[in-house]
Amino acid sequence: MRIYCFIAVMVFSLFVTCASAQAAVTDGENCMMCHKYPGLTRVNDEGYLRVFYVDSENYAHTVHTKVKCTGCHVDIKEIPHKEMKPVDCSTECHINNAGSEKPFSHKKIVETLKKSIHNPDNPDVRARIVEDFPSCTNCHKNPTYRFDPGDVESVDEARHKERVLQKCAVCHDNNIDYKYFFNHVTHRIKNLAPSEDVVKTCSKCHSREEMATKHKMKNAAATYLDTFHGKAVEFGMPHAPTCIDCHVKKGDSAHNIQSWRNPKSATYEPNRYKTCEDADCHANASQQFGMIRMHSVIDKDIYPIEFYVALGFTILTIGAFYPLLGLMILELIRELFPNFSLRRKKKD
Amino acid sequence: MSHQHVKVGPKRIIYCLLGIAIMVYCGYIVEILVMHIWHKAPHAEHGEAGLSKEDKLYQDMIAGVSQDGGHGAPVVDINSSHKLYDFHETKRTAIEDTQNLCVSCHGDVPHDKKKEVRAFLNMHAYFMACETCHIKVENTMTTKFVWYEKTTGEQKDKIDLSTYLKDTPYKLLPLAADGGKLYDNDQMVKYVDEFKSQVNNMAPSAKSAAMKVIHRPMTELKNAVNCENCHTPDRAKAYLPFEKIGYPERRANQLVGNEVVGMVNKYKEFYIPNFLKPAEGTESEN
């Protein structure tokens, strides 16, 4: 906690100084000569608007701020640009891995994704429809660093910001590099996305009935949203359990989600309780606890017992709860209008 | 026996109203918690009705589109950037032109045919009215150029041009020397309005004839103002009178400088011979 606070103080102190330093992103290739114009747009062959405008001010605060345009758009060699392939995130993008001279790339993550259930070649995949499987940009955008100056307001024994910078400058040159790494680290410390955003991202594909039918699955998003976990997200509970919390093994990458039939999966039935028993969730979960189905599927043919229980409760709700509620509301209305009567008053 | 009239105090009213509100809310909560298990389709909030414009576009994209479903669509909302291509999340809201008569049919992203240059042309269309290039006047020095506000139509002789036209709310428009409109005069506006209201019931020949009338004031495409007419190394010969329309010396020099002119020339070499001359009949007639 102390470390977190310390780093948060540093971020806060660097926030103002970084903003000006980073806004001046080097554009040695002069791409912004054209791409600074918001009107640089066209409609593609499918009728969708593509915007080629890049907001350099916003880009300067994103996690890719140190990457040159051609670091990702490697096909661009000349003006006018030729037809380009989609960006491949496993490309080595001209920046170095921290602490080494090796070029950086997301290759490792792409390799991990290839071994996951989100790869059509995975043996557990039921329908190998390549275009239905996600690429990096289906789930990821270019996020800005998550500064939250509010985090440091409660820290008492914080160094003065100038002392913080001074300490960094002892070893590092007073350039934007160490500020960049601080931003990077503190960005990673935080939960990257609120629960509802995680669910929304997965729902892009997993809430679609036709996709579920093609891949012989249930509508994972809808059946999740019917559970307590899903309801917690819907009601805006902070840190409510999302798809990632259950489908990603503790300490593993979110890119390595496996089928529930794979023994290595976080949702493999015999081991599922281990996922539930996280200290922040259900600390003493037993193996039986893990057998509770966390996607509520009401289907008479697959789960007849659950179906009839649900039917019984629904009948009870409609037949007893709502009439009772109605009576109580009528009672309160009577309290409001005690003298009201539909009968004609008798003349004395 | 006569009924006694009961008086209702303010406390009781408050308690009752509060009670009713709580009951209704309980009913709503139970409905969410219990009744949703019976849905066959996705929740309403995940159905089409609850989708944002962006999400709808995304779903359309994933679902695929028919061959003739989108290409050449006459009007594209300039703020409907597709999610799949929005990695950089521009977060800007483009100012839509509600004043220009051409835009009322062609939209804010009007150029869609010439693949090589359409994005550049649309970029210029963001701060230049269609008339600026598509009605080529004989002598720009005797023509009046004004900047009109895209949402109100308010005209100004000069705007701040010390930096590039980023999210500008203004567009450059040529007018006759006396300030008269070159295209969207009252008569044309009325004619276009009538055409738009009747176009679905018109015979093809009548439609074609009306389109000719509407586009008659436009210069033939092959003679329209092209890039090198303005971005020329000889500033004195530039079609647009940069100083007169408010460009400071430094910016005017940039527009005719090596960077821009060099790029135009590169395009010219690459797409020789006709890259800036849209082929006959290939421009959108919408």
Side-chain angles (χ1 to χ4, degrees):
Chain A
M1 183 63 191
R2 213 179 148 80
I3 289 171
Y4 176 80
C5 292
F6 175 63
I7 293 172
V9 170
M10 301 185 95
V11 171
F12 178 63
S13 59
L14 292 169
F15 180 60
V16 178
T17 46
C18 287
S20 56
Q22 288 195 345
V25 170
T26 325
D27 177 28
E29 298 148 314
N30 204 13
C31 303
M32 297 308 289
M33 185 175 88
C34 301
H35 290 273
K36 67 186 173 191
Y37 288 100
L40 195 68
T41 54
R42 71 168 169 81
V43 180
N44 71 5
D45 292 340
E46 286 149 329
Y48 295 117
L49 182 73
R50 294 198 64 175
V51 176
F52 300 104
Y53 161 65
V54 177
D55 183 344
S56 58
E57 212 170 295
N58 183 58
Y59 186 76
H61 294 100
T62 65
V63 297
H64 291 99
T65 180
K66 291 191 78 172
V67 186
K68 288 195 293 183
C69 306
T70 51
C72 297
H73 302 282
V74 290
D75 294 356
I76 294 178
K77 306 276 187 206
E78 59 206 343
I79 293 173
H81 309 327
K82 285 182 178 168
E83 195 79 33
M84 292 188 305
K85 289 177 192 162
V87 168
D88 177 359
C89 299
S90 65
T91 304
E92 291 177 348
C93 57
H94 307 304
I95 60 168
N96 290 336
N97 262 322
S100 81
E101 289 304 310
K102 288 179 184 172
F104 179 82
S105 91
H106 293 299
K107 200 173 181 177
K108 200 176 152 191
I109 296 174
V110 173
E111 290 302 321
T112 307
L113 191 70
K114 278 183 185 167
K115 291 174 192 160
S116 78
I117 192 67
H118 288 125
N119 172 33
D121 296 329
N122 187 299
D124 291 317
V125 164
R126 288 164 174 161
R128 301 186 198 289
I129 306 165
V130 178
E131 60 270 23
D132 282 355
F133 285 80
S135 66
C136 306
T137 50
N138 287 132
C139 302
H140 296 283
K141 299 287 173 214
N142 188 16
T144 49
Y145 285 121
R146 287 172 176 266
F147 296 108
D148 190 355
D151 286 348
V152 299
E153 281 174 5
S154 57
V155 182
D156 290 331
E157 299 165 37
R159 285 176 199 270
H160 188 271
K161 68 173 182 179
E162 283 169 13
R163 294 286 308 277
V164 175
L165 292 173
Q166 187 196 356
K167 288 300 259 183
C168 300
V170 169
C171 300
H172 305 279
D173 287 340
N174 190 13
N175 57 30
I176 66 163
D177 279 355
Y178 60 80
K179 294 165 190 169
Y180 165 76
F181 285 118
F182 271 123
N183 294 342
H184 188 88
V185 170
T186 49
H187 180 72
R188 291 287 166 200
I189 284 173
K190 289 202 142 205
N191 254 338
L192 287 189
S195 298
E196 57 267 35
D197 285 1
V198 175
V199 175
K200 208 174 163 188
T201 300
C202 303
S203 297
K204 282 179 186 175
C205 297
H206 287 286
S207 69
R208 300 178 59 230
E209 288 292 342
E210 69 276 20
M211 190 79 100
T213 310
K214 273 195 286 181
H215 292 266
K216 298 168 192 159
M217 296 161 75
K218 286 284 170 189
N219 185 325
T223 54
Y224 158 81
L225 289 169
D226 284 336
T227 67
F228 279 111
H229 290 168
K231 298 293 176 202
V233 170
E234 280 195 307
F235 286 124
M237 183 182 153
H239 310 301
T242 65
C243 317
I244 287 178
D245 290 305
C246 298
H247 287 272
V248 178
K249 261 187 164 176
K250 200 176 177 182
D252 207 347
S253 161
H255 303 94
N256 193 25
I257 293 176
Q258 298 294 340
S259 160
W260 60 274
R261 284 169 293 185
N262 186 330
K264 289 180 185 169
S265 167
T267 53
Y268 183 59
E269 230 166 45
N271 298 331
R272 197 179 295 160
Y273 74 99
K274 290 179 183 168
T275 305
C276 312
E277 70 179 4
D278 188 282
D280 294 333
C281 301
H282 306 281
N284 301 314
S286 65
Q287 192 152 16
Q288 287 303 309
F289 187 88
M291 303 303 273
I292 299 170
R293 273 190 294 275
M294 283 324 300
H295 285 269
S296 163
V297 180
I298 305 298
D299 190 313
K300 192 167 66 174
D301 301 324
I302 310 174
Y303 307 120
I305 297 174
E306 283 93 332
F307 175 83
Y308 287 111
V309 169
L311 185 65
F313 270 104
T314 306
I315 291 168
L316 206 61
T317 306
I318 296 171
F321 179 76
Y322 280 121
L324 191 67
L325 209 65
L327 282 173
M328 287 161 81
I329 290 171
L330 285 173
E331 178 68 28
L332 287 167
I333 292 171
R334 164 52 77 197
E335 288 290 318
L336 276 175
F337 305 102
N339 304 311
F340 177 76
S341 173
L342 289 172
R343 289 183 199 153
R344 284 182 186 176
K345 283 180 185 172
K346 283 180 187 172
K347 287 178 183 174
D348 291 331
Chain B
M1 203 177 87
S2 64
H3 265 294
Q4 205 180 347
H5 190 83
V6 181
K7 242 186 155 184
V8 183
K11 261 189 184 175
R12 185 191 281 204
I13 294 173
I14 292 168
Y15 287 147
C16 290
L17 289 176
L18 204 65
I20 291 170
I22 291 170
M23 296 295 158
V24 171
Y25 187 66
C26 284
Y28 166 70
I29 296 284
V30 170
E31 200 274 333
I32 288 179
L33 291 173
V34 178
M35 297 307 171
H36 269 198
I37 57 175
W38 295 108
H39 62 83
K40 284 284 178 197
H43 286 303
E45 57 268 36
H46 297 286
E48 287 211 349
L51 285 179
S52 68
K53 202 161 66 176
E54 277 185 325
D55 288 332
K56 173 77 174 60
L57 273 166
Y58 184 88
Q59 299 232 342
D60 284 352
M61 179 68 194
I62 295 288
V65 288
S66 59
Q67 286 299 310
D68 56 353
H71 185 53
V75 179
V76 172
D77 180 352
I78 194 166
N79 287 311
S80 65
S81 147
H82 200 283
K83 260 190 170 181
L84 205 59
Y85 306 119
D86 194 24
F87 178 76
H88 289 289
E89 291 193 290
T90 53
K91 291 178 183 166
R92 65 89 167 94
T93 305
I95 300 159
E96 290 168 28
D97 187 348
T98 58
Q99 301 297 315
N100 191 285
L101 188 61
C102 309
V103 170
S104 71
C105 290
H106 291 276
D108 284 301
V109 190
H111 303 98
D112 62 355
K113 296 290 184 201
K114 296 293 285 183
K115 202 170 184 177
E116 312 84 57
V117 287
R118 56 191 174 183
F120 278 112
L121 299 179
N122 288 329
M123 180 254 271
H124 283 81
Y126 193 66
F127 49 79
M128 285 161 68
C130 309
E131 294 94 317
T132 311
C133 299
H134 289 278
I135 298 181
K136 194 172 185 178
V137 294
E138 287 298 318
N139 185 356
T140 53
M141 293 313 286
T142 57
T143 303
K144 190 181 176 189
F145 281 95
V146 292
W147 296 91
Y148 71 91
E149 219 274 346
K150 290 184 211 175
T151 51
T152 62
E154 185 200 344
Q155 293 181 357
K156 283 185 174 183
D157 288 332
K158 285 186 178 172
I159 59 168
D160 178 19
L161 292 165
S162 56
T163 181
Y164 69 97
L165 292 163
K166 193 185 177 186
D167 281 331
T168 182
Y170 295 99
K171 269 187 179 180
L172 187 69
L173 175 74
L175 296 174
D178 60 357
K181 291 181 171 177
L182 295 182
Y183 179 59
D184 54 344
N185 53 43
D186 293 344
Q187 202 184 350
M188 182 59 86
V189 171
K190 196 178 166 197
Y191 188 84
V192 171
D193 282 346
E194 264 175 43
F195 172 75
K196 283 197 283 191
S197 64
Q198 292 171 17
V199 66
N200 291 332
N201 305 319
M202 288 170 89
S205 57
K207 186 181 166 187
S208 172
M211 295 271 275
K212 273 185 185 159
V213 172
I214 291 169
H215 292 100
R216 192 170 293 150
M218 300 292 154
T219 307
E220 235 185 304
L221 280 175
K222 63 182 179 188
N223 298 324
V225 179
N226 63 39
C227 311
E228 57 187 347
N229 289 150
C230 296
H231 298 292
T232 170
D234 186 355
R235 210 172 98 192
K237 287 183 182 169
Y239 176 78
L240 281 181
F242 292 119
E243 295 88 348
K244 206 176 157 189
I245 59 178
Y247 276 95
E249 184 76 5
R250 186 184 59 84
R251 281 290 296 144
N253 282 337
Q254 282 173 348
L255 296 173
V256 296
N258 278 341
E259 274 187 340
V260 179
V261 173
M263 193 177 69
V264 170
N265 286 336
K266 269 188 182 176
Y267 261 85
K268 236 172 109 180
E269 285 162 26
F270 194 79
Y271 292 111
I272 282 175
N274 291 321
F275 92 101
L276 287 174
K277 294 178 182 169
E280 291 288 345
T282 56
E283 278 291 330
S284 169
E285 287 188 346
N286 295 306

